[in-house]
Amino acid sequence: MSTKHLKTIVFISISVLVVLTFGFLGTRRVQTAASTQPQHETLTETTLPVSPRVFRKSLSTPQDSLSDFQKTDFYRTIVDNNLFRPLGWCPPRPREPYRLLGTLIPTDGNTPPQAILQSATARTTYIVRIGDKLDKATTVTDIQPKEILLETNGKQRTLGLNTSPMLK
């Protein structure tokens, strides 16, 4: 064999020997470091070798639904500032499910006031009095000229009469 081939073989064998030596010493150090820790020590928040995010997620109660996931403080920023929404996006305003078409206020005290409401989703018309239920959570609490007071789950809101002309 030529000296060029011998030099190449010696170089490769030395390289393999160095890699194996450092690989063996590296695994030996990890084993000795692991063997010096006491086996009976319990893991606490300070001794965990993971990030606080993983620690909090692993020790917290399991997330049952998407809404529970969205309520957590850590993910709230991600949900509120979604990367894939267009610039200038704002959440849609909640739409009122009912529209006031008119009120009937009697002049005598014997007849109760009435209001004419239209459902925005079903396009059905209701004639209601004070105390009537529109759905299982919404109740009519007061009727005044050109406005009506509704109560839903303890929260009161006022519907006013839209006096602009309908252009449909």
Side-chain angles (χ1 to χ4, degrees):
M1 278 206 227
S2 70
T3 58
K4 183 178 179 183
H5 291 296
L6 285 174
K7 287 181 183 179
T8 306
I9 291 172
V10 170
F11 179 74
I12 291 173
S13 56
I14 290 174
S15 299
V16 169
L17 183 63
V18 168
V19 168
L20 290 176
T21 305
F22 282 119
F24 177 73
L25 290 177
T27 57
R28 181 75 179 138
R29 281 193 198 128
V30 171
Q31 289 172 352
T32 57
S35 63
T36 58
Q37 288 183 344
Q39 297 296 328
H40 65 279
E41 181 182 341
T42 59
L43 293 177
T44 62
E45 185 175 0
T46 57
T47 61
L48 277 178
V50 293
S51 66
R53 171 177 59 199
V54 175
F55 174 76
R56 189 178 325 130
K57 185 175 180 183
S58 64
L59 292 184
S60 64
T61 59
Q63 302 291 337
D64 294 331
S65 66
L66 181 62
S67 63
D68 292 339
F69 166 77
Q70 292 174 344
K71 289 179 186 174
T72 58
D73 293 336
F74 181 76
Y75 296 107
R76 184 80 254 151
T77 302
I78 297 171
V79 172
D80 289 342
N81 305 316
N82 190 344
L83 176 66
F84 300 104
R85 289 189 183 135
L87 290 175
W89 181 88
C90 59
R93 294 186 325 192
R95 301 187 95 197
E96 182 64 45
Y98 300 104
R99 188 172 78 176
L100 181 64
L101 298 177
T103 56
L104 302 169
I105 307 297
T107 55
D108 61 347
N110 297 335
T111 310
Q114 298 177 345
I116 305 169
L117 294 175
Q118 183 181 28
S119 173
T121 56
R123 294 286 186 190
T124 56
T125 305
Y126 303 100
I127 298 177
V128 294
R129 296 180 181 157
I130 297 174
D132 288 351
K133 286 191 168 282
L134 296 172
D135 54 34
K136 61 182 175 181
T138 306
T139 307
V140 178
T141 57
D142 191 22
I143 298 174
Q144 296 296 324
K146 298 184 181 181
E147 70 177 19
I148 184 172
L149 191 66
L150 301 175
E151 182 176 341
T152 305
N153 298 329
K155 295 180 181 178
Q156 293 189 349
R157 64 184 193 275
T158 303
L159 287 180
L161 183 63
N162 187 2
T163 58
S164 64
M166 290 188 229
L167 301 173
K168 286 190 177 182

Short mmCIF file of all heavy atoms in Angstrom, two decimals, residues 124-156:
data_model
loop_
_atom_site.label_atom_id
_atom_site.label_comp_id
_atom_site.label_asym_id
_atom_site.label_seq_id
_atom_site.Cartn_x
_atom_site.Cartn_y
_atom_site.Cartn_z
N THR A 124 -90.73 36.06 13.49
CA THR A 124 -92.07 35.95 14.05
C THR A 124 -92.37 37.20 14.86
O THR A 124 -91.47 37.82 15.42
CB THR A 124 -92.21 34.71 14.94
OG1 THR A 124 -91.21 34.77 15.96
CG2 THR A 124 -92.04 33.43 14.13
N THR A 125 -93.63 37.56 14.91
CA THR A 125 -94.06 38.77 15.61
C THR A 125 -94.79 38.37 16.89
O THR A 125 -95.61 37.45 16.90
CB THR A 125 -95.00 39.60 14.71
OG1 THR A 125 -94.33 39.84 13.48
CG2 THR A 125 -95.34 40.92 15.35
N TYR A 126 -94.46 39.09 17.98
CA TYR A 126 -95.07 38.85 19.28
C TYR A 126 -95.80 40.11 19.74
O TYR A 126 -95.28 41.22 19.57
CB TYR A 126 -94.02 38.50 20.34
CG TYR A 126 -93.16 37.31 20.03
CD1 TYR A 126 -91.89 37.47 19.51
CD2 TYR A 126 -93.63 36.03 20.27
CE1 TYR A 126 -91.10 36.37 19.24
CE2 TYR A 126 -92.84 34.93 19.99
CZ TYR A 126 -91.57 35.10 19.48
OH TYR A 126 -90.79 34.03 19.20
N ILE A 127 -96.97 39.94 20.33
CA ILE A 127 -97.63 41.03 21.05
C ILE A 127 -97.56 40.64 22.51
O ILE A 127 -98.14 39.63 22.93
CB ILE A 127 -99.09 41.21 20.57
CG1 ILE A 127 -99.09 41.58 19.09
CG2 ILE A 127 -99.78 42.28 21.41
CD1 ILE A 127 -100.47 41.70 18.48
N VAL A 128 -96.81 41.43 23.30
CA VAL A 128 -96.51 41.05 24.69
C VAL A 128 -97.01 42.11 25.66
O VAL A 128 -97.23 43.27 25.30
CB VAL A 128 -94.99 40.84 24.88
CG1 VAL A 128 -94.52 39.65 24.07
CG2 VAL A 128 -94.22 42.07 24.50
N ARG A 129 -97.18 41.67 26.88
CA ARG A 129 -97.55 42.55 28.00
C ARG A 129 -96.46 42.44 29.06
O ARG A 129 -95.56 41.60 28.97
CB ARG A 129 -98.88 42.12 28.59
CG ARG A 129 -100.02 42.26 27.64
CD ARG A 129 -101.31 41.83 28.28
NE ARG A 129 -102.38 41.97 27.31
CZ ARG A 129 -103.51 41.32 27.36
NH1 ARG A 129 -103.74 40.48 28.35
NH2 ARG A 129 -104.42 41.49 26.45
N ILE A 130 -96.56 43.25 30.10
CA ILE A 130 -95.58 43.21 31.19
C ILE A 130 -95.70 41.85 31.89
O ILE A 130 -96.79 41.42 32.25
CB ILE A 130 -95.81 44.37 32.18
CG1 ILE A 130 -95.58 45.70 31.47
CG2 ILE A 130 -94.89 44.25 33.39
CD1 ILE A 130 -95.92 46.91 32.30
N GLY A 131 -94.57 41.17 32.08
CA GLY A 131 -94.52 39.87 32.74
C GLY A 131 -94.51 38.70 31.77
O GLY A 131 -94.30 37.57 32.20
N ASP A 132 -94.74 38.94 30.48
CA ASP A 132 -94.71 37.84 29.50
C ASP A 132 -93.28 37.38 29.25
O ASP A 132 -92.34 38.17 29.31
CB ASP A 132 -95.35 38.27 28.18
CG ASP A 132 -96.87 38.41 28.26
OD1 ASP A 132 -97.44 38.01 29.29
OD2 ASP A 132 -97.46 38.93 27.30
N LYS A 133 -93.14 36.09 28.94
CA LYS A 133 -91.82 35.53 28.62
C LYS A 133 -91.70 35.40 27.11
O LYS A 133 -92.57 34.85 26.46
CB LYS A 133 -91.64 34.17 29.27
CG LYS A 133 -91.41 34.24 30.77
CD LYS A 133 -90.97 32.86 31.26
CE LYS A 133 -90.46 32.94 32.66
NZ LYS A 133 -89.13 33.47 32.74
N LEU A 134 -90.59 35.92 26.56
CA LEU A 134 -90.32 35.78 25.14
C LEU A 134 -89.64 34.44 24.85
O LEU A 134 -89.91 33.80 23.84
CB LEU A 134 -89.45 36.92 24.64
CG LEU A 134 -90.10 38.30 24.75
CD1 LEU A 134 -89.11 39.38 24.44
CD2 LEU A 134 -91.28 38.38 23.81
N ASP A 135 -88.71 34.05 25.67
CA ASP A 135 -88.11 32.72 25.65
C ASP A 135 -87.90 32.32 27.10
O ASP A 135 -88.35 33.02 28.01
CB ASP A 135 -86.82 32.70 24.82
CG ASP A 135 -85.81 33.75 25.25
OD1 ASP A 135 -85.74 34.06 26.45
OD2 ASP A 135 -85.08 34.25 24.38
N LYS A 136 -87.21 31.22 27.34
CA LYS A 136 -87.11 30.74 28.72
C LYS A 136 -86.28 31.64 29.63
O LYS A 136 -86.38 31.55 30.84
CB LYS A 136 -86.60 29.31 28.77
CG LYS A 136 -85.23 29.11 28.19
CD LYS A 136 -84.87 27.65 28.27
CE LYS A 136 -83.55 27.40 27.57
NZ LYS A 136 -83.18 25.99 27.62
N ALA A 137 -85.49 32.56 29.07
CA ALA A 137 -84.65 33.42 29.90
C ALA A 137 -85.04 34.89 29.82
O ALA A 137 -84.61 35.68 30.65
CB ALA A 137 -83.19 33.27 29.50
N THR A 138 -85.85 35.30 28.85
CA THR A 138 -86.15 36.72 28.63
C THR A 138 -87.59 37.02 29.04
O THR A 138 -88.52 36.35 28.60
CB THR A 138 -85.95 37.08 27.14
OG1 THR A 138 -84.63 36.69 26.76
CG2 THR A 138 -86.13 38.57 26.92
N THR A 139 -87.74 38.07 29.88
CA THR A 139 -89.04 38.48 30.38
C THR A 139 -89.22 39.98 30.13
O THR A 139 -88.27 40.76 30.26
CB THR A 139 -89.14 38.22 31.90
OG1 THR A 139 -88.81 36.86 32.15
CG2 THR A 139 -90.53 38.48 32.41
N VAL A 140 -90.43 40.38 29.80
CA VAL A 140 -90.76 41.80 29.63
C VAL A 140 -91.03 42.38 31.01
O VAL A 140 -91.89 41.90 31.74
CB VAL A 140 -92.01 41.96 28.72
CG1 VAL A 140 -92.38 43.42 28.59
CG2 VAL A 140 -91.78 41.34 27.37
N THR A 141 -90.27 43.42 31.41
CA THR A 141 -90.45 44.00 32.74
C THR A 141 -91.16 45.34 32.72
O THR A 141 -91.82 45.69 33.70
CB THR A 141 -89.09 44.17 33.44
OG1 THR A 141 -88.24 44.96 32.63
CG2 THR A 141 -88.43 42.82 33.69
N ASP A 142 -91.06 46.12 31.64
CA ASP A 142 -91.72 47.42 31.59
C ASP A 142 -91.94 47.83 30.14
O ASP A 142 -91.12 47.53 29.26
CB ASP A 142 -90.86 48.47 32.30
CG ASP A 142 -91.62 49.78 32.51
OD1 ASP A 142 -92.87 49.76 32.51
OD2 ASP A 142 -90.95 50.82 32.67
N ILE A 143 -93.05 48.53 29.91
CA ILE A 143 -93.37 49.05 28.58
C ILE A 143 -93.65 50.53 28.72
O ILE A 143 -94.53 50.94 29.48
CB ILE A 143 -94.58 48.32 27.96
CG1 ILE A 143 -94.27 46.83 27.79
CG2 ILE A 143 -94.95 48.94 26.62
CD1 ILE A 143 -95.46 46.00 27.33
N GLN A 144 -92.89 51.34 28.00
CA GLN A 144 -93.05 52.79 27.98
C GLN A 144 -93.29 53.21 26.53
O GLN A 144 -93.06 52.44 25.61
CB GLN A 144 -91.79 53.47 28.53
CG GLN A 144 -91.49 53.18 29.97
CD GLN A 144 -92.57 53.72 30.90
OE1 GLN A 144 -93.15 54.78 30.67
NE2 GLN A 144 -92.87 52.95 31.93
N PRO A 145 -93.72 54.46 26.30
CA PRO A 145 -93.87 54.89 24.90
C PRO A 145 -92.51 54.85 24.18
O PRO A 145 -91.52 55.37 24.67
CB PRO A 145 -94.36 56.33 25.02
CG PRO A 145 -94.97 56.42 26.37
CD PRO A 145 -94.22 55.45 27.24
N LYS A 146 -92.48 54.16 23.05
CA LYS A 146 -91.31 54.02 22.17
C LYS A 146 -90.13 53.26 22.77
O LYS A 146 -89.03 53.33 22.25
CB LYS A 146 -90.84 55.39 21.66
CG LYS A 146 -91.87 56.11 20.83
CD LYS A 146 -91.31 57.38 20.27
CE LYS A 146 -92.36 58.09 19.46
NZ LYS A 146 -91.88 59.33 18.87
N GLU A 147 -90.33 52.54 23.86
CA GLU A 147 -89.28 51.68 24.40
C GLU A 147 -89.87 50.60 25.28
O GLU A 147 -90.97 50.73 25.79
CB GLU A 147 -88.22 52.48 25.16
CG GLU A 147 -88.67 53.06 26.46
CD GLU A 147 -87.56 53.78 27.20
OE1 GLU A 147 -86.55 54.16 26.56
OE2 GLU A 147 -87.69 53.96 28.41
N ILE A 148 -89.10 49.54 25.43
CA ILE A 148 -89.51 48.40 26.24
C ILE A 148 -88.29 47.93 27.03
O ILE A 148 -87.16 48.01 26.56
CB ILE A 148 -90.09 47.27 25.35
CG1 ILE A 148 -90.62 46.12 26.20
CG2 ILE A 148 -89.08 46.77 24.37
CD1 ILE A 148 -91.37 45.08 25.39
N LEU A 149 -88.53 47.46 28.25
CA LEU A 149 -87.45 47.00 29.12
C LEU A 149 -87.54 45.48 29.23
O LEU A 149 -88.58 44.95 29.63
CB LEU A 149 -87.58 47.65 30.50
CG LEU A 149 -86.42 47.49 31.46
CD1 LEU A 149 -85.19 48.20 30.91
CD2 LEU A 149 -86.77 48.06 32.81
N LEU A 150 -86.46 44.79 28.86
CA LEU A 150 -86.39 43.33 28.92
C LEU A 150 -85.38 42.91 29.96
O LEU A 150 -84.37 43.58 30.18
CB LEU A 150 -85.99 42.75 27.56
CG LEU A 150 -86.88 43.05 26.37
CD1 LEU A 150 -86.26 42.49 25.10
CD2 LEU A 150 -88.25 42.48 26.58
N GLU A 151 -85.62 41.75 30.59
CA GLU A 151 -84.69 41.21 31.58
C GLU A 151 -84.30 39.80 31.15
O GLU A 151 -85.17 38.96 30.93
CB GLU A 151 -85.32 41.18 32.96
CG GLU A 151 -84.39 40.66 34.03
CD GLU A 151 -85.01 40.73 35.41
OE1 GLU A 151 -85.98 41.47 35.61
OE2 GLU A 151 -84.51 40.03 36.29
N THR A 152 -82.98 39.57 31.02
CA THR A 152 -82.45 38.26 30.66
C THR A 152 -81.42 37.85 31.68
O THR A 152 -80.39 38.51 31.83
CB THR A 152 -81.81 38.29 29.25
OG1 THR A 152 -82.77 38.79 28.32
CG2 THR A 152 -81.34 36.92 28.83
N ASN A 153 -81.70 36.79 32.42
CA ASN A 153 -80.79 36.26 33.45
C ASN A 153 -80.36 37.33 34.45
O ASN A 153 -79.20 37.43 34.81
CB ASN A 153 -79.55 35.63 32.80
CG ASN A 153 -79.91 34.45 31.93
OD1 ASN A 153 -80.88 33.74 32.22
ND2 ASN A 153 -79.15 34.23 30.88
N GLY A 154 -81.27 38.17 34.87
CA GLY A 154 -80.98 39.21 35.85
C GLY A 154 -80.41 40.50 35.28
O GLY A 154 -80.25 41.47 35.99
N LYS A 155 -80.09 40.53 33.99
CA LYS A 155 -79.56 41.74 33.36
C LYS A 155 -80.68 42.41 32.56
O LYS A 155 -81.35 41.76 31.77
CB LYS A 155 -78.40 41.40 32.43
CG LYS A 155 -77.21 40.85 33.15
CD LYS A 155 -76.09 40.54 32.18
CE LYS A 155 -74.90 39.95 32.91
NZ LYS A 155 -73.82 39.60 31.98
N GLN A 156 -80.83 43.71 32.79
CA GLN A 156 -81.88 44.43 32.09
C GLN A 156 -81.31 45.19 30.90
O GLN A 156 -80.20 45.71 30.97
CB GLN A 156 -82.58 45.40 33.05
CG GLN A 156 -83.37 44.68 34.12
CD GLN A 156 -84.22 45.64 34.93
OE1 GLN A 156 -84.09 46.85 34.83
NE2 GLN A 156 -85.10 45.09 35.75
#
